[in-house]
Amino acid sequence: MAQEARCVWQVRALLGEGPLWSPRQDAVYFVDIRGSRILRRGLSDGSQAGWELEDAACWLVESADGDGFIAGLRSRRVVRLRLEPGQVTITGEIARIEPDGFGNRLNDGKADALGRLWIGSMDDAEEAPAGSFYRIDADGAGGGSVTQVDTGYTVANGPALSPDGRTIYHTDSAARTVYAFDIGADGGLSGKRVHIRFTEADGYPDGMTCDAEGGLWIAHWDGARVSRFRPDGTLDRAVALPVSRVTSCVFAGPDLDRLFITTAAHGRDEEPLAGSLFECDPGVRGLPPCGFGSLRS
């Protein structure tokens, strides 16, 4: 492993996930699913803030109109919310996913350059292949139309989009497998194929993101690292972390040349830095973040 990540916030997130770079606010946001928190770290000033929720957020994206965030909640609701000092306000509901999926919760989501959401659900007990993969299209009235694009996931994770927007990667962590799909003009998926398969020694593939060269950066749950894979799926390099449960990563900063990494403290009492936010110098640039509801600017 050519480099190591450095701890920038010892926040002890039970299940840190879903990091998001907000250029508007010069900050990285991420969620603590098990701790029912949203966390924020300012890049320029190093400021730190947190919000507690009754219904845990599993991921965040910004609204393309600049009016707050879109969040996927543990209860399988997708909502609009605003974060103000000491206060979380839900301002509307976009969709309800799997209203009868009592054993499921949402897990991981991203917006693409066309303003659509791609989100996964999972069995909260991580035992049954009861989860699915969905696309949510903005309907122009504040809500969203939901389309199931794949199913059969025990722990849905990812997703990540290629720089040209023609390929989407999605993971079933329990199966140690990252899949690739072709995205059609209408948002339909085809050509599902195994892109990367982890071994037991690798741990489990968790959250991921693409860089501007098409490299796929994947967090290793129980693998103590983040790895970059070339577009053909071969391993390029890895970044070591001093904690085992590495959950996701995001490119951030005005030049998108900083990589922030989330981790989990759940089940890792013996690891003093578990659940911290880390940073490394990836040597490549990332892709601009996208919001829900309109084209990338």
Side-chain angles (χ1 to χ4, degrees), residues 7 12-13 34 54 57 141 143-144 148 154 157 192 220 267 274 291 296:
C7 178
R12 201 70 185 174
R34 285 184 176 268
E54 293 183 7
Q148 185 188 80
T154 301
N157 249 314
K192 180 180 181 179
H220 292 241
R296 178 194 286 162

Side-chain angles (χ1 to χ4, degrees), residues 87-103:
Q87 182 176 347
V88 180
T89 304
I90 294 178
T91 61
E93 184 174 290
I94 291 171
R96 288 179 180 250
I97 309 296
E98 301 172 0
D100 299 323
F102 299 108

Side-chain angles (χ1 to χ4, degrees), residues 5 226 239 241 246 248-249 259-263 276-280:
V226 172
V239 177
L241 281 91
V246 186
S248 195
C249 53
L259 190 72
F260 286 85
I261 303 165
T262 53
T263 65
S276 296
L277 181 68
F278 292 83
E279 181 183 358
C280 75

Side-chain angles (χ1 to χ4, degrees), residues 217-237:
W217 294 75
I218 305 177
H220 292 241
W221 176 274
D222 284 348
R225 60 193 184 274
V226 172
S227 293
R228 181 185 190 265
F229 294 85
R230 302 178 186 91
D232 64 3
T234 58
L235 178 64
D236 176 42
R237 60 184 183 272

Side-chain angles (χ1 to χ4, degrees), residues 83-128:
L83 299 175
E84 299 166 340
Q87 182 176 347
V88 180
T89 304
I90 294 178
T91 61
E93 184 174 290
I94 291 171
R96 288 179 180 250
I97 309 296
E98 301 172 0
D100 299 323
F102 299 108
N104 281 5
R105 69 167 173 84
L106 297 186
N107 192 53
D108 247 348
K110 297 275 177 64
D112 69 11
L114 295 178
R116 305 173 294 200
L117 289 172
W118 299 88
I119 67 174
S121 66
M122 61 172 278
D123 174 25
D124 202 17
E126 303 184 15
E127 295 174 351

Side-chain angles (χ1 to χ4, degrees), residues 125-149:
E126 303 184 15
E127 295 174 351
S132 295
F133 191 25
Y134 296 93
R135 186 187 74 247
I136 301 180
D137 300 278
D139 65 11
S145 57
V146 181
T147 302
Q148 185 188 80
V149 293

Side-chain angles (χ1 to χ4, degrees), residues 253-278:
D255 296 321
L256 292 165
D257 58 353
R258 302 167 68 179
L259 190 72
F260 286 85
I261 303 165
T262 53
T263 65
H266 175 68
R268 289 296 179 266
D269 293 343
E270 74 283 4
E271 297 178 4
L273 292 180
S276 296
L277 181 68
F278 292 83

